[in-house]
Amino acid sequence: MTANPGRVLISGGASGLGAAIADAVAAHGGIPLVLDKQAPSGPAEYRTVDVTDSAETERAVAELAADGLDAVVTAAGTDACGALDQVSTADWERVVRVNLIGTAAVVRAALPALKRSHGRVVTVASTLGIRPAGDATAYCASKFGVVGFTRALAMETAGEVGVTLLIPGGMQTHFFDDRPDQYKPGADAVLNRPQDVAASVLHALSAPRGCEIRELVVCPDREPSWP
């Protein structure tokens, strides 16, 4: 049985995987604390913030962590599909700022509280963070960055903060809605429910102290981008 996860801050917690994690935290007796550009639909303390603004993000994290923090999950993410010379500079760089720099900003601001509680961090990468794909240079660059960031963070904070790298495959979320049709999953695509991936996150957060789940690959059984 999954233990109460405590106070869990979730970036991107108003939709998709982040919202599923917030719901799972609440269902197991914890307190979800949400960072997002929009308010969450469920009951949760939250701050509206664009994680590309590191200073604003760090202030919001500090406010939510004022009463203590047991875990952080960095689920905020975005994409801009297309050939490198067809994606605007602004769109390409925004992907990196949200997915990688936003992840670092959230974790950096949360570390003092997490060190006090001997808490945990779960970063959200992607199967495209370990296997590249064409027309996804921004997304791959950012998610490969999250993989490296997380592995280095685990070494840096060993014994102080637990660190888990989540590598999810495709999920049934609105992540694909605004893409051109050629970049959307086909009608026969097999995708995981975000609630099932969220259950894996709760499993990592409930591991006994001193026992770390360093990396989790969670994907549909017919995931085309794994291995």
PDB file of all heavy atoms in Angstrom, residues 19-53:
ATOM      1  N   ALA A  19      -1.566  16.751 -13.549  1.00  0.00           N
ATOM      2  CA  ALA A  19      -2.868  16.711 -12.872  1.00  0.00           C
ATOM      3  C   ALA A  19      -3.143  15.319 -12.319  1.00  0.00           C
ATOM      4  O   ALA A  19      -3.713  15.176 -11.218  1.00  0.00           O
ATOM      5  CB  ALA A  19      -3.968  17.129 -13.838  1.00  0.00           C
ATOM      6  N   ALA A  20      -2.770  14.279 -13.062  1.00  0.00           N
ATOM      7  CA  ALA A  20      -2.965  12.909 -12.576  1.00  0.00           C
ATOM      8  C   ALA A  20      -2.131  12.657 -11.328  1.00  0.00           C
ATOM      9  O   ALA A  20      -2.580  11.975 -10.389  1.00  0.00           O
ATOM     10  CB  ALA A  20      -2.596  11.913 -13.673  1.00  0.00           C
ATOM     11  N   ILE A  21      -0.920  13.211 -11.289  1.00  0.00           N
ATOM     12  CA  ILE A  21      -0.086  13.066 -10.097  1.00  0.00           C
ATOM     13  C   ILE A  21      -0.694  13.814  -8.924  1.00  0.00           C
ATOM     14  O   ILE A  21      -0.733  13.304  -7.797  1.00  0.00           O
ATOM     15  CB  ILE A  21       1.347  13.551 -10.391  1.00  0.00           C
ATOM     16  CG1 ILE A  21       2.017  12.625 -11.406  1.00  0.00           C
ATOM     17  CG2 ILE A  21       2.173  13.613  -9.106  1.00  0.00           C
ATOM     18  CD1 ILE A  21       3.300  13.176 -11.988  1.00  0.00           C
ATOM     19  N   ALA A  22      -1.189  15.024  -9.162  1.00  0.00           N
ATOM     20  CA  ALA A  22      -1.840  15.790  -8.089  1.00  0.00           C
ATOM     21  C   ALA A  22      -3.028  15.026  -7.530  1.00  0.00           C
ATOM     22  O   ALA A  22      -3.222  14.958  -6.305  1.00  0.00           O
ATOM     23  CB  ALA A  22      -2.277  17.155  -8.613  1.00  0.00           C
ATOM     24  N   ASP A  23      -3.836  14.423  -8.407  1.00  0.00           N
ATOM     25  CA  ASP A  23      -4.990  13.636  -7.952  1.00  0.00           C
ATOM     26  C   ASP A  23      -4.530  12.423  -7.148  1.00  0.00           C
ATOM     27  O   ASP A  23      -5.144  12.074  -6.121  1.00  0.00           O
ATOM     28  CB  ASP A  23      -5.814  13.167  -9.155  1.00  0.00           C
ATOM     29  CG  ASP A  23      -6.569  14.296  -9.836  1.00  0.00           C
ATOM     30  OD1 ASP A  23      -6.715  15.379  -9.220  1.00  0.00           O
ATOM     31  OD2 ASP A  23      -7.005  14.097 -10.990  1.00  0.00           O
ATOM     32  N   ALA A  24      -3.458  11.767  -7.595  1.00  0.00           N
ATOM     33  CA  ALA A  24      -2.965  10.592  -6.889  1.00  0.00           C
ATOM     34  C   ALA A  24      -2.423  10.965  -5.516  1.00  0.00           C
ATOM     35  O   ALA A  24      -2.626  10.242  -4.530  1.00  0.00           O
ATOM     36  CB  ALA A  24      -1.882   9.898  -7.718  1.00  0.00           C
ATOM     37  N   VAL A  25      -1.722  12.090  -5.430  1.00  0.00           N
ATOM     38  CA  VAL A  25      -1.209  12.561  -4.138  1.00  0.00           C
ATOM     39  C   VAL A  25      -2.374  12.783  -3.174  1.00  0.00           C
ATOM     40  O   VAL A  25      -2.341  12.327  -2.009  1.00  0.00           O
ATOM     41  CB  VAL A  25      -0.398  13.856  -4.326  1.00  0.00           C
ATOM     42  CG1 VAL A  25      -0.122  14.528  -2.983  1.00  0.00           C
ATOM     43  CG2 VAL A  25       0.916  13.559  -5.043  1.00  0.00           C
ATOM     44  N   ALA A  26      -3.406  13.476  -3.633  1.00  0.00           N
ATOM     45  CA  ALA A  26      -4.568  13.741  -2.773  1.00  0.00           C
ATOM     46  C   ALA A  26      -5.280  12.446  -2.381  1.00  0.00           C
ATOM     47  O   ALA A  26      -5.702  12.286  -1.229  1.00  0.00           O
ATOM     48  CB  ALA A  26      -5.533  14.685  -3.487  1.00  0.00           C
ATOM     49  N   ALA A  27      -5.393  11.513  -3.329  1.00  0.00           N
ATOM     50  CA  ALA A  27      -6.089  10.253  -3.058  1.00  0.00           C
ATOM     51  C   ALA A  27      -5.375   9.425  -1.999  1.00  0.00           C
ATOM     52  O   ALA A  27      -6.014   8.621  -1.301  1.00  0.00           O
ATOM     53  CB  ALA A  27      -6.232   9.443  -4.339  1.00  0.00           C
ATOM     54  N   HIS A  28      -4.071   9.629  -1.841  1.00  0.00           N
ATOM     55  CA  HIS A  28      -3.299   8.885  -0.849  1.00  0.00           C
ATOM     56  C   HIS A  28      -3.039   9.706   0.413  1.00  0.00           C
ATOM     57  O   HIS A  28      -2.149   9.381   1.198  1.00  0.00           O
ATOM     58  CB  HIS A  28      -1.983   8.394  -1.452  1.00  0.00           C
ATOM     59  CG  HIS A  28      -2.168   7.257  -2.416  1.00  0.00           C
ATOM     60  ND1 HIS A  28      -2.445   7.446  -3.761  1.00  0.00           N
ATOM     61  CD2 HIS A  28      -2.140   5.906  -2.238  1.00  0.00           C
ATOM     62  CE1 HIS A  28      -2.573   6.283  -4.351  1.00  0.00           C
ATOM     63  NE2 HIS A  28      -2.378   5.327  -3.457  1.00  0.00           N
ATOM     64  N   GLY A  29      -3.832  10.752   0.595  1.00  0.00           N
ATOM     65  CA  GLY A  29      -3.770  11.515   1.838  1.00  0.00           C
ATOM     66  C   GLY A  29      -2.763  12.636   1.852  1.00  0.00           C
ATOM     67  O   GLY A  29      -2.585  13.300   2.879  1.00  0.00           O
ATOM     68  N   GLY A  30      -2.070  12.865   0.717  1.00  0.00           N
ATOM     69  CA  GLY A  30      -1.085  13.930   0.657  1.00  0.00           C
ATOM     70  C   GLY A  30      -1.692  15.268   0.283  1.00  0.00           C
ATOM     71  O   GLY A  30      -2.898  15.390   0.055  1.00  0.00           O
ATOM     72  N   ILE A  31      -0.836  16.267   0.184  1.00  0.00           N
ATOM     73  CA  ILE A  31      -1.261  17.628  -0.150  1.00  0.00           C
ATOM     74  C   ILE A  31      -0.561  18.039  -1.434  1.00  0.00           C
ATOM     75  O   ILE A  31       0.656  18.284  -1.436  1.00  0.00           O
ATOM     76  CB  ILE A  31      -0.917  18.616   0.977  1.00  0.00           C
ATOM     77  CG1 ILE A  31      -1.615  18.198   2.271  1.00  0.00           C
ATOM     78  CG2 ILE A  31      -1.288  20.042   0.590  1.00  0.00           C
ATOM     79  CD1 ILE A  31      -1.198  19.015   3.474  1.00  0.00           C
ATOM     80  N   PRO A  32      -1.305  18.122  -2.560  1.00  0.00           N
ATOM     81  CA  PRO A  32      -0.683  18.579  -3.806  1.00  0.00           C
ATOM     82  C   PRO A  32      -0.538  20.096  -3.819  1.00  0.00           C
ATOM     83  O   PRO A  32      -1.448  20.819  -3.427  1.00  0.00           O
ATOM     84  CB  PRO A  32      -1.663  18.106  -4.882  1.00  0.00           C
ATOM     85  CG  PRO A  32      -2.983  18.020  -4.192  1.00  0.00           C
ATOM     86  CD  PRO A  32      -2.700  17.694  -2.746  1.00  0.00           C
ATOM     87  N   LEU A  33       0.605  20.563  -4.245  1.00  0.00           N
ATOM     88  CA  LEU A  33       0.903  21.977  -4.393  1.00  0.00           C
ATOM     89  C   LEU A  33       1.264  22.186  -5.855  1.00  0.00           C
ATOM     90  O   LEU A  33       2.246  21.625  -6.335  1.00  0.00           O
ATOM     91  CB  LEU A  33       2.072  22.376  -3.493  1.00  0.00           C
ATOM     92  CG  LEU A  33       1.966  21.969  -2.021  1.00  0.00           C
ATOM     93  CD1 LEU A  33       3.301  22.142  -1.312  1.00  0.00           C
ATOM     94  CD2 LEU A  33       0.874  22.770  -1.324  1.00  0.00           C
ATOM     95  N   VAL A  34       0.482  22.997  -6.552  1.00  0.00           N
ATOM     96  CA  VAL A  34       0.566  23.046  -8.010  1.00  0.00           C
ATOM     97  C   VAL A  34       1.179  24.343  -8.509  1.00  0.00           C
ATOM     98  O   VAL A  34       0.803  25.432  -8.071  1.00  0.00           O
ATOM     99  CB  VAL A  34      -0.834  22.846  -8.633  1.00  0.00           C
ATOM    100  CG1 VAL A  34      -0.813  23.114 -10.129  1.00  0.00           C
ATOM    101  CG2 VAL A  34      -1.336  21.435  -8.355  1.00  0.00           C
ATOM    102  N   LEU A  35       2.116  24.197  -9.443  1.00  0.00           N
ATOM    103  CA  LEU A  35       2.630  25.315 -10.239  1.00  0.00           C
ATOM    104  C   LEU A  35       2.181  25.103 -11.668  1.00  0.00           C
ATOM    105  O   LEU A  35       2.396  24.029 -12.236  1.00  0.00           O
ATOM    106  CB  LEU A  35       4.160  25.327 -10.240  1.00  0.00           C
ATOM    107  CG  LEU A  35       4.941  25.758  -9.023  1.00  0.00           C
ATOM    108  CD1 LEU A  35       6.429  25.651  -9.330  1.00  0.00           C
ATOM    109  CD2 LEU A  35       4.596  27.169  -8.622  1.00  0.00           C
ATOM    110  N   ASP A  36       1.553  26.119 -12.266  1.00  0.00           N
ATOM    111  CA  ASP A  36       1.122  25.979 -13.651  1.00  0.00           C
ATOM    112  C   ASP A  36       0.739  27.342 -14.193  1.00  0.00           C
ATOM    113  O   ASP A  36       0.546  28.288 -13.421  1.00  0.00           O
ATOM    114  CB  ASP A  36      -0.072  25.015 -13.762  1.00  0.00           C
ATOM    115  CG  ASP A  36      -0.140  24.323 -15.118  1.00  0.00           C
ATOM    116  OD1 ASP A  36      -0.121  25.038 -16.147  1.00  0.00           O
ATOM    117  OD2 ASP A  36      -0.213  23.090 -15.160  1.00  0.00           O
ATOM    118  N   LYS A  37       0.601  27.438 -15.499  1.00  0.00           N
ATOM    119  CA  LYS A  37       0.148  28.685 -16.108  1.00  0.00           C
ATOM    120  C   LYS A  37      -1.341  28.894 -15.902  1.00  0.00           C
ATOM    121  O   LYS A  37      -1.854  29.997 -16.091  1.00  0.00           O
ATOM    122  CB  LYS A  37       0.463  28.692 -17.598  1.00  0.00           C
ATOM    123  CG  LYS A  37       1.950  28.751 -17.923  1.00  0.00           C
ATOM    124  CD  LYS A  37       2.199  28.766 -19.409  1.00  0.00           C
ATOM    125  CE  LYS A  37       1.682  30.044 -20.055  1.00  0.00           C
ATOM    126  NZ  LYS A  37       1.995  30.085 -21.511  1.00  0.00           N
ATOM    127  N   GLN A  38      -2.051  27.830 -15.522  1.00  0.00           N
ATOM    128  CA  GLN A  38      -3.486  27.910 -15.264  1.00  0.00           C
ATOM    129  C   GLN A  38      -3.808  27.259 -13.930  1.00  0.00           C
ATOM    130  O   GLN A  38      -3.020  26.472 -13.411  1.00  0.00           O
ATOM    131  CB  GLN A  38      -4.270  27.223 -16.382  1.00  0.00           C
ATOM    132  CG  GLN A  38      -3.925  25.745 -16.528  1.00  0.00           C
ATOM    133  CD  GLN A  38      -4.519  25.121 -17.772  1.00  0.00           C
ATOM    134  OE1 GLN A  38      -4.978  25.815 -18.663  1.00  0.00           O
ATOM    135  NE2 GLN A  38      -4.516  23.797 -17.823  1.00  0.00           N
ATOM    136  N   ALA A  39      -4.955  27.614 -13.377  1.00  0.00           N
ATOM    137  CA  ALA A  39      -5.358  27.042 -12.098  1.00  0.00           C
ATOM    138  C   ALA A  39      -5.777  25.585 -12.280  1.00  0.00           C
ATOM    139  O   ALA A  39      -6.368  25.225 -13.306  1.00  0.00           O
ATOM    140  CB  ALA A  39      -6.519  27.838 -11.510  1.00  0.00           C
ATOM    141  N   PRO A  40      -5.482  24.730 -11.303  1.00  0.00           N
ATOM    142  CA  PRO A  40      -5.926  23.329 -11.397  1.00  0.00           C
ATOM    143  C   PRO A  40      -7.427  23.232 -11.232  1.00  0.00           C
ATOM    144  O   PRO A  40      -8.066  24.088 -10.609  1.00  0.00           O
ATOM    145  CB  PRO A  40      -5.190  22.657 -10.240  1.00  0.00           C
ATOM    146  CG  PRO A  40      -4.940  23.758  -9.256  1.00  0.00           C
ATOM    147  CD  PRO A  40      -4.734  24.993 -10.060  1.00  0.00           C
ATOM    148  N   SER A  41      -8.025  22.176 -11.795  1.00  0.00           N
ATOM    149  CA  SER A  41      -9.473  21.992 -11.691  1.00  0.00           C
ATOM    150  C   SER A  41      -9.873  21.440 -10.335  1.00  0.00           C
ATOM    151  O   SER A  41     -10.985  21.684  -9.863  1.00  0.00           O
ATOM    152  CB  SER A  41      -9.966  21.057 -12.795  1.00  0.00           C
ATOM    153  OG  SER A  41      -9.308  19.800 -12.726  1.00  0.00           O
ATOM    154  N   GLY A  42      -8.980  20.698  -9.687  1.00  0.00           N
ATOM    155  CA  GLY A  42      -9.286  20.122  -8.384  1.00  0.00           C
ATOM    156  C   GLY A  42      -8.802  20.997  -7.250  1.00  0.00           C
ATOM    157  O   GLY A  42      -8.103  22.000  -7.471  1.00  0.00           O
ATOM    158  N   PRO A  43      -9.195  20.658  -6.030  1.00  0.00           N
ATOM    159  CA  PRO A  43      -8.753  21.449  -4.874  1.00  0.00           C
ATOM    160  C   PRO A  43      -7.266  21.252  -4.604  1.00  0.00           C
ATOM    161  O   PRO A  43      -6.812  20.132  -4.383  1.00  0.00           O
ATOM    162  CB  PRO A  43      -9.604  20.883  -3.728  1.00  0.00           C
ATOM    163  CG  PRO A  43      -9.958  19.489  -4.165  1.00  0.00           C
ATOM    164  CD  PRO A  43     -10.056  19.537  -5.645  1.00  0.00           C
ATOM    165  N   ALA A  44      -6.525  22.330  -4.672  1.00  0.00           N
ATOM    166  CA  ALA A  44      -5.080  22.278  -4.400  1.00  0.00           C
ATOM    167  C   ALA A  44      -4.588  23.695  -4.196  1.00  0.00           C
ATOM    168  O   ALA A  44      -5.092  24.636  -4.817  1.00  0.00           O
ATOM    169  CB  ALA A  44      -4.323  21.623  -5.553  1.00  0.00           C
ATOM    170  N   GLU A  45      -3.623  23.852  -3.316  1.00  0.00           N
ATOM    171  CA  GLU A  45      -2.958  25.137  -3.229  1.00  0.00           C
ATOM    172  C   GLU A  45      -2.104  25.289  -4.482  1.00  0.00           C
ATOM    173  O   GLU A  45      -1.470  24.335  -4.925  1.00  0.00           O
ATOM    174  CB  GLU A  45      -2.079  25.201  -1.983  1.00  0.00           C
ATOM    175  CG  GLU A  45      -1.473  26.575  -1.749  1.00  0.00           C
ATOM    176  CD  GLU A  45      -0.669  26.655  -0.471  1.00  0.00           C
ATOM    177  OE1 GLU A  45      -0.662  25.673   0.307  1.00  0.00           O
ATOM    178  OE2 GLU A  45      -0.030  27.704  -0.252  1.00  0.00           O
ATOM    179  N   TYR A  46      -2.107  26.468  -5.082  1.00  0.00           N
ATOM    180  CA  TYR A  46      -1.382  26.620  -6.335  1.00  0.00           C
ATOM    181  C   TYR A  46      -0.877  28.046  -6.509  1.00  0.00           C
ATOM    182  O   TYR A  46      -1.309  28.979  -5.830  1.00  0.00           O
ATOM    183  CB  TYR A  46      -2.290  26.254  -7.520  1.00  0.00           C
ATOM    184  CG  TYR A  46      -3.416  27.240  -7.783  1.00  0.00           C
ATOM    185  CD1 TYR A  46      -3.248  28.305  -8.682  1.00  0.00           C
ATOM    186  CD2 TYR A  46      -4.641  27.115  -7.128  1.00  0.00           C
ATOM    187  CE1 TYR A  46      -4.271  29.209  -8.918  1.00  0.00           C
ATOM    188  CE2 TYR A  46      -5.665  28.004  -7.355  1.00  0.00           C
ATOM    189  CZ  TYR A  46      -5.476  29.056  -8.260  1.00  0.00           C
ATOM    190  OH  TYR A  46      -6.497  29.954  -8.478  1.00  0.00           O
ATOM    191  N   ARG A  47       0.062  28.178  -7.433  1.00  0.00           N
ATOM    192  CA  ARG A  47       0.541  29.467  -7.899  1.00  0.00           C
ATOM    193  C   ARG A  47       0.565  29.414  -9.418  1.00  0.00           C
ATOM    194  O   ARG A  47       1.050  28.450 -10.002  1.00  0.00           O
ATOM    195  CB  ARG A  47       1.957  29.773  -7.380  1.00  0.00           C
ATOM    196  CG  ARG A  47       2.059  29.907  -5.880  1.00  0.00           C
ATOM    197  CD  ARG A  47       1.359  31.160  -5.359  1.00  0.00           C
ATOM    198  NE  ARG A  47       1.582  31.335  -3.936  1.00  0.00           N
ATOM    199  CZ  ARG A  47       0.879  30.746  -2.976  1.00  0.00           C
ATOM    200  NH1 ARG A  47      -0.094  29.895  -3.313  1.00  0.00           N
ATOM    201  NH2 ARG A  47       1.143  30.987  -1.704  1.00  0.00           N
ATOM    202  N   THR A  48       0.009  30.437 -10.057  1.00  0.00           N
ATOM    203  CA  THR A  48       0.086  30.516 -11.504  1.00  0.00           C
ATOM    204  C   THR A  48       1.437  31.128 -11.870  1.00  0.00           C
ATOM    205  O   THR A  48       1.797  32.200 -11.380  1.00  0.00           O
ATOM    206  CB  THR A  48      -1.058  31.356 -12.087  1.00  0.00           C
ATOM    207  OG1 THR A  48      -1.094  32.636 -11.443  1.00  0.00           O
ATOM    208  CG2 THR A  48      -2.390  30.664 -11.892  1.00  0.00           C
ATOM    209  N   VAL A  49       2.169  30.444 -12.719  1.00  0.00           N
ATOM    210  CA  VAL A  49       3.523  30.866 -13.048  1.00  0.00           C
ATOM    211  C   VAL A  49       3.930  30.265 -14.389  1.00  0.00           C
ATOM    212  O   VAL A  49       3.484  29.174 -14.756  1.00  0.00           O
ATOM    213  CB  VAL A  49       4.502  30.430 -11.935  1.00  0.00           C
ATOM    214  CG1 VAL A  49       4.628  28.923 -11.865  1.00  0.00           C
ATOM    215  CG2 VAL A  49       5.875  31.057 -12.120  1.00  0.00           C
ATOM    216  N   ASP A  50       4.747  30.990 -15.116  1.00  0.00           N
ATOM    217  CA  ASP A  50       5.364  30.488 -16.337  1.00  0.00           C
ATOM    218  C   ASP A  50       6.772  30.055 -15.956  1.00  0.00           C
ATOM    219  O   ASP A  50       7.602  30.880 -15.569  1.00  0.00           O
ATOM    220  CB  ASP A  50       5.406  31.599 -17.383  1.00  0.00           C
ATOM    221  CG  ASP A  50       5.957  31.135 -18.731  1.00  0.00           C
ATOM    222  OD1 ASP A  50       6.655  30.096 -18.761  1.00  0.00           O
ATOM    223  OD2 ASP A  50       5.716  31.818 -19.735  1.00  0.00           O
ATOM    224  N   VAL A  51       7.050  28.757 -16.060  1.00  0.00           N
ATOM    225  CA  VAL A  51       8.332  28.252 -15.562  1.00  0.00           C
ATOM    226  C   VAL A  51       9.517  28.708 -16.402  1.00  0.00           C
ATOM    227  O   VAL A  51      10.666  28.471 -16.034  1.00  0.00           O
ATOM    228  CB  VAL A  51       8.342  26.709 -15.437  1.00  0.00           C
ATOM    229  CG1 VAL A  51       7.334  26.241 -14.402  1.00  0.00           C
ATOM    230  CG2 VAL A  51       8.121  26.036 -16.785  1.00  0.00           C
ATOM    231  N   THR A  52       9.262  29.399 -17.540  1.00  0.00           N
ATOM    232  CA  THR A  52      10.379  29.968 -18.283  1.00  0.00           C
ATOM    233  C   THR A  52      10.947  31.203 -17.584  1.00  0.00           C
ATOM    234  O   THR A  52      12.043  31.652 -17.917  1.00  0.00           O
ATOM    235  CB  THR A  52       9.966  30.365 -19.715  1.00  0.00           C
ATOM    236  OG1 THR A  52       8.991  31.407 -19.665  1.00  0.00           O
ATOM    237  CG2 THR A  52       9.400  29.160 -20.457  1.00  0.00           C
ATOM    238  N   ASP A  53      10.206  31.759 -16.638  1.00  0.00           N
ATOM    239  CA  ASP A  53      10.680  32.887 -15.828  1.00  0.00           C
ATOM    240  C   ASP A  53      11.255  32.309 -14.541  1.00  0.00           C
ATOM    241  O   ASP A  53      10.519  32.013 -13.596  1.00  0.00           O
ATOM    242  CB  ASP A  53       9.525  33.848 -15.542  1.00  0.00           C
ATOM    243  CG  ASP A  53       9.968  35.108 -14.806  1.00  0.00           C
ATOM    244  OD1 ASP A  53      10.953  35.057 -14.042  1.00  0.00           O
ATOM    245  OD2 ASP A  53       9.295  36.144 -14.969  1.00  0.00           O
TER     246      ASP A  53
END
